[in-house]
Amino acid sequence: MNLYKTRVRFRGSALRTMVVLLCVGLLSCGGSYDEPDPGGSDDHTGAGEDSDMGGEPGAPDPQPEPEPEIEEAIVERVAATERYIFVPGGREGGDQIALIDGETFAVEPIQVGLNPRAVVAAEVAGVGAVAYVWSEGTSTVAVVRADLRDAAERPDVRVLRVPREVNQLAVAPGGRYALAYIDPELELPVQGGAISLQAMALIALGDAPGEDQVYRLSVTRQIESIRFSEDGRFGFVVGEEGISRLAFDEIKADRFVPTLDLGASNEDFPPRDQQALFTADASAMVLRTSQLAGLGVFELSEEGQAVRREQRVLLPGVPTDMELLERDVEGGLRREVLVAMRQVGQVARFDLDAVLAAQDEQEVSGLVELIALADEVDAGIARLTPDESQLLIFSTLPAEPTVGVLELESAELKTVRLRHQIRTLAFSPDSRTAVVVHRPKSGVPPADADPRERFEYEEGLSLWDLASGYVRAVALEAQPQTVLMVTTRAGAGWLYGMLVGEEADNFGVVRISLETFGVERLSVAQRPAQIGRVADQIFVTQNDARGRVTFFSIEDGTQRTVSGFELNAEIQ
C-alpha cells in the first residue's frame, strides 16, 4: 500500500497518489465533447495560462515553482480480506478488535493490546486472512491469523513489541511483511524533542505461529510516502532526507537503512522536493522536482543503496506529475514514463529501458515524444484508467476545468468541460466511468441563482461516461469522504459513497448505479466511520460505543445491521 494522504503535486514541503504523451511538435485534437453550458460561456481560466514559464530544455536558470496541485484521497483502504473485516474497538482503554465474518455476519472479539489504533489486513498464500494491529497503549503490533484456531477455537494472536514513536501501519503485497512507522500527519503517541521521526519496525510473518519477527529500523526522516514492489519483496520509504530501500528478505536484525546514494544528482533532486516512482520489480526509479525542467531516471543496484546507472531526461517544462506504465507489448515488457507539464501545456512519453540504455543526452532527447494539448486543458495531473488504455489530464486549480482524454494507442485526444472544481477523481473497475468529486465554492449562492449555480456551492460529484462524454451532476447532502466502486457477479457496477457533514446528524450513504446513473440514498443509524467491501457485501462501520456495522448486499442493496458487539466483548 501507499500512504493515503492528501496528494500535493509540486509542493514546497509535501509529496503525496499521474501523466502523458506523444509526437514532437503540435498534434491536433481528435475531437471534443463539452458538458452543455447554459450560459454559453467559453471562458477558461486556471494555472495553465502560465505556459510561457518553461524555457528551453535543460536551461540552467532556476525554474519558477508551479502552483501546487492538491488532490484529496477519496478511496480508502480498510482492514478487510476476502471474508473478514477487522474493526478496532471504539472504547478508550479497550484492548480488543472485532473480527466480523462477511458471509455469516458473526462477530468475534479478539484481544490484542491496549487502545488499538491502526489495523491492516491481507490474504496470505498458505496462511489465510492475517491482520496486523498496532496498539498505542502497549506499543505493540498483534499478528492475528484469523483462519488458524487455537485450542479454544479462537484466532491465533501473537504480540510483538515495536518502537513507542510509531503511529501507523502499512502491509506489503502478499501480506508477509508489514511496516510500523511514523506518519507525521497523525498525532504522535510520544511527545517531546526526543522523537526522531526516523523509527520504524519491520514485522515479518513466520511460517508458523510464534515464528514472527520484528526488526527495528532507522530510516529517512519525516516520511511522506511508502511504496512496495509488486511482489512484496521490497519497500521504498520516501522522506525529507531521501529514499530508503528495504529488501525485506535481507533484513534479519535491527539495522540502520541509509538513503539511496544519488551522487551529484542530489543537487538537482533535493530530498525535500521530489516525487518518486518505482518499477514493479524495484529495479528502477524515476524522480521529479519542482526546480528542474526534466526528470532523473535511475537503475538501482540489486544490493545495498547504490545506483547502477542514471540518465537525465531534459524536458521543455517543469513536470507537475508523472505515471509509470508497465504492460506487455508484442510478447515483451514495455515500461513507459508519462509526464505532465502544466507550464507548457504538454505531456511527454518515453521508454524507460531505452532511455537507460542511451549513450548520451542527445540520444535520450530523441527518445522523448511530446504532444501539445488543447489550450483549455491544464496538464497538472494525469491519471491512467484501470485498463491502462486512456490517460486523463486535468488540474485541481481551475473553477471550471477542462479535462483531456488521451487514447494511448491512437494518440487521439478528446476534451470534456466540467462546470465545477475538481477535488479528486476515481475510476470504475471496468474503466467506463470516471467519478469526479467536486470542491464546493465557499459562501452562499445568490438569491436568484439557478439550479446549476446553486450546485456550485453544494457538496456533490459528477458521473462521467468516458465513451460518450455524457456527464451527470449529483448533489449530495454531505461531503463524500470515501467512495467505493464495485461490480456484481452479473457485471453491474455500483458506487457507494460515505457521506459525513459538519453537523452531527448530517451523514448517510449514497448508492449510485454506474449503468443508469440512478441515485439512491441509504440511511444508517449512526455517523459512518469506514466503508469497504467484504465477500458480497458493502459494510459501513459506525461511531457507536456499543459497536455497530451495517451491511448492504452488492447484488440488490438489501440491508442488515450487527450491533452491540463492543458491549458483548466487555461482557466476555
Side-chain angles (χ1 to χ4, degrees), residues 98-177:
L99 172 63
I100 305 174
D101 191 318
E103 294 181 358
T104 67
F105 303 103
V107 181
E108 187 174 6
I110 300 175
Q111 189 172 17
V112 285
L114 183 63
N115 290 333
R117 299 298 191 204
V119 188
V120 293
E123 201 74 31
V124 181
V127 179
V130 175
Y132 300 90
V133 186
W134 169 66
S135 296
E136 179 182 19
T138 48
S139 299
T140 58
V141 169
V143 181
V144 181
R145 291 170 169 83
D147 292 313
L148 182 64
R149 300 283 162 161
D150 60 18
E153 283 301 309
R154 295 176 178 174
D156 185 89
V157 180
R158 307 294 166 128
V159 178
L160 304 170
R161 183 77 60 181
V162 295
R164 295 177 59 211
E165 300 98 324
V166 303
N167 61 0
Q168 187 57 284
L169 294 173
V171 61
R176 288 200 166 271
Y177 297 99

Side-chain angles (χ1 to χ4, degrees), residues 162-406:
V162 295
R164 295 177 59 211
E165 300 98 324
V166 303
N167 61 0
Q168 187 57 284
L169 294 173
V171 61
R176 288 200 166 271
Y177 297 99
L179 295 174
Y181 64 96
I182 300 172
D183 184 339
E185 294 186 2
L186 300 178
E187 183 179 354
L188 297 175
V190 179
Q191 302 299 324
I195 296 178
S196 69
L197 300 180
Q198 294 170 279
M200 174 177 281
L202 169 65
I203 298 97
L205 187 71
D207 293 331
E211 297 179 1
D212 308 321
Q213 297 292 328
V214 59
Y215 304 111
R216 295 182 175 230
L217 310 177
S218 292
V219 295
T220 182
R221 184 187 301 271
Q222 196 86 10
I223 295 172
E224 294 184 352
S225 68
I226 293 180
R227 312 272 178 150
F228 295 104
S229 62
E230 197 171 76
D231 60 8
R233 294 177 53 238
F234 294 92
F236 293 91
V237 183
V238 182
E240 70 172 17
E241 293 182 337
I243 301 169
S244 299
R245 184 176 72 161
L246 309 176
F248 298 134
D249 291 343
E250 299 175 7
I251 298 176
K252 303 298 181 184
D254 297 351
R255 61 184 292 186
F256 155 63
V257 183
T259 57
L260 290 171
D261 182 8
L262 303 184
S265 292
N266 269 331
E267 297 180 6
D268 292 320
F269 300 97
R272 295 190 183 197
D273 181 30
Q274 62 182 215
Q275 178 194 5
L277 294 181
F278 306 94
T279 57
D281 63 0
S283 67
M285 74 174 180
V286 184
L287 291 181
R288 73 169 178 92
T289 171
S290 64
Q291 306 300 316
L292 180 70
L295 300 174
V297 180
F298 303 86
E299 182 181 3
L300 305 179
S301 174
E302 293 182 2
E303 297 181 358
Q305 304 293 322
V307 171
R308 177 180 295 172
R309 186 187 316 171
E310 67 176 276
Q311 293 281 17
R312 185 70 48 82
V313 181
L314 301 180
L315 297 169
V318 175
T320 46
D321 200 9
M322 59 183 181
E323 276 271 32
L324 181 59
L325 172 61
E326 301 186 56
R327 55 179 172 171
D328 183 76
V329 177
E330 297 179 353
L333 178 65
R334 180 176 172 84
R335 306 193 294 187
E336 295 179 281
V337 180
L338 308 167
V339 188
M341 297 170 287
R342 192 180 68 214
Q343 293 175 318
V344 294
Q346 294 180 344
V347 292
R349 177 185 197 175
F350 61 85
D351 185 298
L352 173 63
D353 295 293
V355 163
L356 283 172
Q359 298 300 311
D360 52 39
E361 288 187 1
Q362 184 176 359
E363 184 179 351
V364 170
S365 178
L367 294 170
V368 179
E369 298 175 295
L370 300 173
I371 185 171
L373 301 173
D375 291 341
E376 64 268 24
V377 175
D378 292 305
I381 297 175
R383 181 81 60 78
L384 285 167
T385 55
D387 64 5
E388 299 180 334
S389 67
Q390 294 178 313
L391 188 84
L392 268 63
I393 310 147
F394 62 96
S395 173
T396 61
L397 303 179
E400 297 183 0
T402 297
V403 182
V405 183
L406 185 69

Side-chain angles (χ1 to χ4, degrees), residues 461 463 472 474 476 493-497 510-520:
L461 54 82
L463 303 168
R472 178 184 175 181
V474 178
L476 301 171
W494 292 91
L495 178 148
Y496 284 81
V510 62
R511 182 176 188 252
I512 302 176
S513 169
L514 297 179
E515 311 298 318
T516 67
F517 290 176
V519 180
E520 179 183 2

